[in-house]
Amino acid sequence: MPALVIAAHGSHLNPGSHDPAFAHADTIRAAGAFDEVREAFWKEEPSFREVLRTVESEEVYVVPLFVSEGYFTEQVIPRELRLEGWDVAEWDSDGTDADHVTLTADDVEKTVHYCGPVGTHESMTDVIVQRAETVTGDPDVGEGFGIAVVGHGTDRNENSAKAIEYHAERVRETERFDEVQALFMDEEPEVDDVAEYFEAEDVVVVPLFVADGYHTQEDIPEDMGLTDDYREGYDVPTEVDDTRIWYAGAVGTEALLADVLLERAADAGADVGNALDLVRQRTGGTAAAGD
Amino acid sequence: MNDTQLSALREAAADGVSCDGLRVERIGEEYTFATPEATHEGLDEESFDALAQENPWLVSNWHFWAGASETRRAYCRWIERADELGVRERYEALVEGLSREWGELLVTAGLGEDGERVYELRHVDDADTEPDALALHDDPLDAREIATADEDGRYRPLKTAPTLRRGWRFAGLDARDLVRTVEFFYPATVTNWFREREGDLDVTHFRETADRQTGIYQVVDELDEDGVENLAAACCVDSQCCKRREWDEDEETKLDVPRGDGAFPCREPCSLVIAAARQWAILENEESRTYEFELTPSEKNQIEDILGAVADGRTDEIREADVGDGANRYRARYLRAKRTDEDGNFENVVERQ
């Protein structure tokens, strides 16, 4: 039976950085779609460099637990996994539609189905919406509400913003929320001025980040004016400039993300059986749009 | 031995079995059953079964190893010293338990039902602790949580740092879960140990690792030979990591820093070492300068004491009132009050390029 490897960033400084990878891996293990499920990290162990030798299977599905296509998914992970003949052109992506490619890892001679990152999969839109439901406690949240999908944004990699805009557009197409905006930390339009971009009195803010850490727990709450000092915490919702801000924290911690990891593997040909249903039951998700 | 094991042996006999002194064959309807003591040939099934019943340890021992993957088999056989002890000696010893140290882990093999092995795992420093005094675990995944923080609750970014906390044990593990648990504590160590045993360890030396870095880590390849030596001395010694360093500057240029005594090898600089190397590659781009400022001989010694205490992680051990130790907090505060300004910088320093 093939193995699933979840490739995440991890951290040398922050122990919480690996929590989403562990949590989603556990959900998928419990669903039984793969004999082996292993987390791998850039900054922790097992490293990308060694993870393939820690699984017994000869066939491995690797799904990057990253938000966007770019440096990590196109350079670092394929290089560290020693994917023979990797060529980013084979992904034929414009920044949000990388799918999968099957190659051999040359140190272990295993077949590796290297998948696109979770962040750009269409099902991620459902996770963003589910996050809004979770944070408001309302499974029907939408009417009377605005929603902001927040990304880091950077001048160095245009794909970073593309993933945010892609999901914002998909949420908009559902016509579930009154208003939808893509906002950023480091480029316009900025999350600091969140209230200015919405007419609605209630706005859910969902950062498209994998783990809760410095940006999602310190920067963004302070920038939006939810709190002067992140250590003092903030309420959900908090009223800022007459707008109630429902701050959701990193989308990557949403249990339903396990579903996106599985979908990535299934898209690459993995036989996941009824695991998708099991995972959705466990994580409170509904069938993906279009299913 | 149980019926399942016996019928599995009968089935395997057609292909021939050879394991720890047990040898079994079947040609046509005739069996051969050989033990270290005697060889019986031309047996019918009934006589074959009778001999198996007389040698239950040999049969169950074969059955146990027959189901394991190559790596797991080698590792578990190493734990119970299968290369040194015969089956009978091993079974007797396994009743008490046979142990090996693996970094800071103590792995103990014991005998379960019908020759199955059961494994226990605990911190080596808890070797003599009563089992009831240790928190009991049976899920390999729990190892991830135990390994996350040290005794003082500080995050351990390096899994093989010798700072694993104590007070827990895993009991009743089968061989597969044993290896999984060990690999959650120390990822890839069993597999790299096995590769090394097979003469198949793929070592990536520092230069090769540095050359493949991109982005902010590209600068790492600027670290010179002395820098790499100091890097290994700072990070890759027994006091800092349980792995045994097998990488060098490059294939031809060995480092002088001792490799360490770890049971399992380190096959290339890890991400922590690369992150540190980046810092030092940047620092090493600075030219040395000459600074002139006044210290008494004791104060100069004190600075050396502080450097040693911080580098060896000894600051927590210095007693509050031990002002005889140069790295004592009050001594350091006195030096700072006397010799530095309000920003903590040395006063009246003359600097020459």
Side-chain angles (χ1 to χ4, degrees):
Chain A
M1 207 186 234
L4 175 70
V5 165
I6 299 170
H9 192 283
S11 166
H12 288 155
L13 301 174
N14 177 4
S17 177
H18 58 217
D19 289 346
F22 286 177
H24 304 316
D26 291 352
T27 304
I28 294 170
R29 275 189 199 99
F34 293 89
D35 218 18
E36 302 170 90
V37 180
R38 193 61 163 115
E39 315 88 347
F41 301 96
W42 174 230
K43 294 285 193 179
E44 299 176 33
E45 297 151 277
S47 60
F48 297 156
R49 193 79 176 151
E50 297 198 318
V51 68
L52 295 175
R53 65 188 60 196
T54 70
V55 295
E56 291 184 2
S57 310
E58 295 299 315
E59 190 175 11
V60 188
Y61 290 83
V62 178
V63 184
L65 186 55
F66 281 79
V67 162
S68 54
E69 294 168 24
Y71 179 58
F72 278 100
T73 57
E74 294 175 0
Q75 283 190 52
V76 173
I77 300 173
R79 178 189 79 212
E80 298 294 297
L81 292 176
R82 286 172 264 200
L83 297 184
E84 216 169 315
W86 160 254
D87 180 354
V88 68
E90 285 189 49
W91 254 5
D92 194 23
S93 169
D94 70 351
T96 56
D97 58 358
D99 194 359
H100 69 271
V101 58
T102 298
L103 296 166
T104 303
D106 71 7
D107 61 322
V108 287
E109 287 169 12
K110 293 183 179 187
T111 302
V112 177
H113 304 279
Y114 181 54
C115 305
V118 291
T120 55
H121 193 272
E122 59 177 19
S123 289
M124 193 68 181
T125 311
D126 302 324
V127 184
I128 291 167
V129 172
Q130 171 106 1
R131 196 90 191 109
E133 294 173 11
T134 307
V135 73
T136 57
D138 178 3
D140 298 316
V141 64
E143 198 179 335
F145 270 76
I147 183 168
V149 185
V150 179
H152 191 290
T154 167
D155 297 335
R156 285 175 301 179
N157 187 341
E158 59 178 19
N159 285 349
S160 162
K162 278 183 185 169
I164 313 300
E165 279 153 1
Y166 169 73
H167 291 297
E169 182 54 32
R170 281 176 52 83
V171 176
R172 197 171 289 127
E173 283 167 7
T174 66
E175 298 181 354
R176 174 170 172 166
F177 293 86
D178 288 357
E179 300 161 75
V180 184
Q181 278 288 343
L183 301 176
F184 301 95
M185 288 181 59
D186 278 3
E187 62 183 70
E188 295 284 335
E190 288 193 0
V191 68
D192 306 30
D193 311 316
V194 55
E196 290 179 19
Y197 293 98
F198 291 91
E199 301 283 322
E201 282 178 22
D202 289 278
V203 174
V204 182
V205 176
V206 183
L208 196 63
F209 285 72
V210 165
D212 267 322
Y214 176 66
H215 289 316
T216 62
Q217 291 181 316
E218 302 177 25
D219 267 13
I220 298 177
E222 287 184 8
D223 287 353
M224 290 194 300
L226 298 184
T227 175
D228 291 332
D229 182 344
Y230 74 91
R231 282 166 294 204
E232 288 167 10
Y234 51 85
D235 294 325
V236 178
T238 293
E239 195 153 314
V240 179
D241 299 337
D242 299 328
T243 304
R244 274 190 298 276
I245 304 291
W246 300 75
Y247 181 58
V251 72
T253 62
E254 182 66 37
L256 186 61
L257 199 72
D259 173 83
V260 187
L261 285 156
L262 262 184
E263 296 226 25
R264 275 289 188 207
D267 291 348
D271 176 9
V272 298
N274 64 345
L276 280 167
D277 291 336
L278 286 172
V279 164
R280 286 192 194 125
Q281 276 166 24
R282 271 178 71 107
T283 58
T286 48
D291 277 9
Chain B
M1 187 188 76
N2 57 34
D3 291 348
T4 311
Q5 293 166 351
L6 177 57
S7 55
L9 183 67
R10 269 192 233 118
E11 206 165 300
D15 296 327
V17 163
S18 177
C19 176
D20 291 336
L22 171 71
R23 192 169 58 78
V24 167
E25 277 174 16
R26 193 187 85 200
I27 296 166
E29 293 304 307
E30 292 194 344
Y31 289 89
T32 300
F33 192 105
T35 69
E37 290 81 31
T39 300
H40 309 268
E41 292 173 329
L43 305 166
D44 60 18
E45 192 167 298
E46 203 176 330
S47 329
F48 175 84
D49 285 3
L51 277 163
Q53 301 287 0
E54 285 168 27
N55 294 278
W57 292 1
L58 285 174
V59 177
S60 65
N61 179 68
W62 160 78
H63 188 261
F64 176 69
W65 298 117
S69 73
E70 210 180 10
T71 307
R72 189 157 73 225
R73 184 180 154 102
Y75 185 65
C76 291
R77 287 177 69 81
W78 175 76
I79 290 164
E80 65 179 61
R81 295 172 172 76
D83 292 346
E84 304 157 35
L85 305 175
V87 175
R88 180 173 292 275
E89 286 171 283
R90 240 186 300 147
Y91 268 48
E92 281 165 3
L94 282 168
V95 174
E96 293 294 310
L98 279 165
S99 295
R100 289 275 198 183
E101 288 187 16
W102 189 256
E104 288 187 289
L105 300 177
L106 184 72
V107 188
T108 304
L111 205 54
E113 273 183 31
D114 296 327
E116 290 293 317
R117 311 299 199 262
V118 283
Y119 297 92
E120 201 229 38
L121 202 57
R122 59 169 78 185
H123 195 292
V124 280
D125 294 340
D126 286 332
D128 299 325
T129 307
E130 286 300 318
D132 288 350
L134 300 170
L136 181 63
H137 298 267
D138 58 11
D139 185 348
L141 296 171
D142 292 354
R144 293 183 313 198
E145 303 308 322
I146 296 171
T148 293
D150 68 12
E151 210 73 63
D152 298 325
R154 285 176 304 197
Y155 177 46
R156 301 171 68 241
L158 181 66
K159 286 277 206 314
T160 44
T163 54
L164 191 62
R165 69 182 151 98
R166 299 172 49 183
W168 48 267
R169 70 185 186 108
F170 288 76
L173 298 172
D174 64 16
R176 185 183 158 94
D177 276 354
L178 168 75
V179 174
R180 286 182 72 209
T181 312
V182 168
E183 289 246 302
F184 276 123
F185 276 115
Y186 297 147
T189 56
V190 174
T191 177
N192 283 330
W193 167 89
F194 178 65
R195 277 178 173 247
E196 183 179 51
R197 259 170 87 98
E198 298 290 295
D200 193 24
L201 184 70
D202 50 337
V203 174
T204 308
H205 296 286
F206 180 81
R207 283 293 153 223
E208 202 184 321
T209 305
D211 286 347
R212 102 166 174 265
Q213 302 304 315
T214 51
I216 62 167
Y217 296 104
Q218 214 160 12
V219 65
V220 165
D221 66 359
E222 292 176 20
L223 204 62
D224 67 13
E225 201 175 322
D226 286 345
V228 178
E229 195 77 57
N230 292 335
L231 169 79
C235 304
C236 308
V237 289
D238 284 345
S239 66
Q240 306 302 311
C241 181
C242 296
K243 285 183 180 171
R244 169 175 28 85
R245 181 182 55 78
E246 287 302 315
W247 53 268
D248 285 290
E249 162 101 15
D250 54 39
E251 183 69 41
E252 285 76 41
T253 322
K254 305 291 175 213
L255 298 179
D256 291 335
V257 177
R259 296 190 182 282
D261 298 323
F264 39 83
C266 172
R267 46 161 301 279
E268 81 175 34
C270 67
S271 77
L272 201 66
V273 161
I274 291 299
R278 170 177 178 261
Q279 200 64 42
W280 293 319
I282 294 166
L283 298 183
E284 292 293 351
N285 277 331
E286 294 178 11
E287 293 292 323
S288 283
R289 297 175 191 188
T290 302
Y291 295 91
E292 200 174 287
F293 55 99
E294 292 199 347
L295 293 175
T296 69
S298 292
E299 286 168 348
K300 176 191 155 286
N301 292 343
Q302 192 187 341
I303 288 174
E304 290 160 356
D305 286 348
I306 291 170
L307 195 56
V310 172
D312 294 335
R314 208 169 52 77
T315 51
D316 285 353
E317 296 162 22
I318 298 167
R319 286 172 295 176
E320 189 79 3
D322 186 4
V323 288
D325 190 318
N328 170 272
R329 191 172 77 246
Y330 295 123
R331 284 276 302 273
R333 291 176 65 82
Y334 186 90
L335 182 67
R336 184 174 68 172
K338 177 181 173 185
R339 294 293 188 187
T340 69
D341 62 21
E342 59 193 11
D343 297 323
N345 301 320
F346 279 113
E347 288 175 321
N348 307 320
V349 179
V350 179
E351 180 182 327
R352 287 198 300 269
Q353 294 282 358

